[in-house]
Amino acid sequence: MKKKGLSELGEFGLIERIRSQVGTTSSLRLGIGDDCSIQTIDGSLEILTSTDLLIEGVHFNLSWTDLTQLGRKSVAVNVSDIAAMGGTPRSLYLGIAVPPNLSIEDLDLFIHGFVSAAKEYGAVLAGGDTCRSSGPLIISVTVQGEVRQGRGVTRSGADSGDLVFVSGSLGDSALALKLLQDGEQPAAELAERHHCPQARVSLGCRLAESGLASAMIDVSDGLVADLGHLITASAKGAIVQLEKIPLSPFFQNSLPGHLERMELALTGGEDYELLFTSAAQNERNIEQLADELNLSLSCIGKINDDGGLQVLQEDGSLYPYRHSGFDHFSK
Ligand code: ADP
Ligand code: MG
């Protein structure tokens, strides 16, 4: 009998297959399935843990990636998962498999970027593992953070009628990557969004402390996929208004003659913005928070009971996006 390929299962089918074989322990309040696990350590604090891989040729291409920026990005994409739970990052662990062609200078640049970004987020590199790679450069980062007991915001708390908000703007990272792949040079600000994303730690903490967010996730796989994860975990549906999706001036300027690029804002991924839901009565408080943090927080849609995600255009018709988001095993 022919063996099933991973592409038939997909990335999330594979994770579900792993999850179904795992038990739990009493101190593990939340295991596989959210941005971080949650472990209770005492009566007041909980530990958040998350891990991510970055592999040369899959997540980054060294021909257009600066090693210092890669070090910074390796921290930011992990810290972003702590932010997505409303936590504060504390320690990082770095596993690195180094190919023979990487020089000591390159490695120094990477570590410099890693350590300086960790410091900016208030975290410290506390351990790891180093070995030789016979293939690509492989970076595995684990991050631990903390959150006050019971304050961690999961993906599963969205309720019908809640509004859907997203921070910053979407699509810049994917657009920069597309231009690089096409051999074009993106504007510096666009390239920065791809090479040096910022984890929204302050926003996540404020949302968790205030109790304003009912559910939250960071946008790593694209809005459609990540809102999909959030509504699946919450057993709800959602409607998103296409014209409300926040776009940077650089993204908007690239649209004339390339309207298909709008899809990058929906499904492109690697934005590392926070996507969260909040009861409709909190809209004023969210606007106030946006002012205080000097960060745009856009209301892009609403949670409903219908199940599934619909992206509507201004005339009320469905927006026909082709991809659903990033899946490592999709065909
Ligand atoms: P994120 O995009 O927030 O990093 P992922 O989509 O990578 O999250 O993973 C979804 C969930 O599945 C997370 O809770 C993650 O810890 C878990 N997960 C992913 N891969 C594995 C694995 N190989 N073993 C156990 N859990 C996994
Ligand atoms: Mg995440």
Side-chain angles (χ1 to χ4, degrees), residues 17-287:
R17 196 181 175 91
I18 296 172
R19 196 196 61 76
S20 68
Q21 298 172 52
V22 173
T24 188
T25 60
S26 56
S27 68
L28 188 66
R29 190 158 75 73
L30 186 67
I32 296 173
D34 220 299
D35 293 298
C36 294
S37 67
I38 304 183
Q39 269 175 296
T40 307
I41 44 167
D42 66 18
S44 61
L45 281 181
E46 289 180 311
I47 296 185
L48 305 170
T49 309
S50 179
T51 193
D52 269 304
L53 276 170
L54 285 102
I55 300 181
E56 181 185 355
V58 178
H59 298 94
F60 60 89
N61 183 328
L62 279 181
S63 61
W64 62 62
T65 306
D66 170 278
L67 268 295
T68 306
Q69 288 181 334
L70 185 61
R72 298 187 64 81
K73 185 168 180 173
S74 306
V75 171
V77 305
N78 278 271
V79 168
S80 178
D81 279 319
I82 298 286
M85 308 293 289
T88 305
R90 293 291 185 219
S91 49
L92 289 149
Y93 298 83
L94 170 64
I96 183 161
V98 187
N101 60 344
L102 204 79
S103 68
I104 294 172
E105 288 77 14
D106 285 342
L107 200 60
D108 277 347
L109 290 173
F110 174 82
I111 297 296
H112 172 70
F114 192 101
V115 170
S116 58
K119 200 169 170 194
E120 284 163 28
Y121 289 115
V124 66
L125 178 57
D129 196 22
T130 306
C131 64
R132 180 163 55 95
S133 169
S134 51
L137 171 61
I138 300 175
I139 299 156
S140 164
V141 182
T142 299
V143 61
Q144 286 201 309
E146 64 189 36
V147 69
R148 269 211 293 150
Q149 170 109 39
R151 293 282 167 157
V153 187
T154 66
R155 298 175 177 182
S156 60
D159 206 357
S160 290
D162 283 0
L163 302 177
V164 179
F165 293 87
V166 71
S167 63
S169 60
L170 297 179
D172 289 343
S173 174
L175 177 58
L177 178 62
K178 189 188 167 355
L179 295 174
L180 286 166
Q181 285 170 335
D182 292 349
E184 290 177 51
Q185 195 53 49
E189 291 84 346
L190 262 190
E192 170 102 2
R193 291 291 314 265
H194 179 67
H195 293 305
C196 289
Q198 292 290 314
R200 303 292 191 191
V201 177
S202 306
L203 172 62
C205 283
R206 292 291 299 271
L207 288 169
E209 278 299 319
S210 60
L212 280 173
S214 49
M216 183 150 65
I217 187 169
D218 62 326
V219 185
S220 54
D221 296 335
L223 173 68
V224 165
D226 289 313
L227 185 51
H229 296 322
L230 187 150
I231 58 176
T232 301
S234 298
K236 298 289 173 204
I239 289 180
V240 163
Q241 301 292 145
L242 186 71
E243 77 280 2
K244 291 193 179 163
I245 291 176
L247 305 174
S248 72
F250 299 97
F251 193 95
Q252 285 176 27
N253 289 342
S254 85
L255 283 176
H258 297 281
L259 280 180
E260 76 290 349
R261 287 181 178 170
M262 193 55 209
E263 183 152 333
L264 296 173
L266 284 172
T267 66
E270 292 208 296
D271 299 300
Y272 299 103
E273 296 294 350
L274 291 184
L275 177 70
F276 60 96
T277 55
S278 187
Q281 79 231 28
N282 296 331
E283 200 168 3
R284 281 282 313 131
N285 294 331
I286 306 253
E287 282 169 17

Side-chain angles (χ1 to χ4, degrees), residues 4-18 53 55 58-59 221 225 229 323-331:
K4 251 190 174 182
L6 286 179
S7 61
E8 286 169 60
L9 211 52
E11 179 182 348
F12 301 101
L14 178 59
I15 294 173
E16 180 51 31
R17 196 181 175 91
I18 296 172
L53 276 170
I55 300 181
V58 178
H59 298 94
D221 296 335
H229 296 322
H323 302 285
S324 58
F326 194 75
D327 179 321
H328 277 278
F329 300 105
S330 68
K331 285 173 215 170

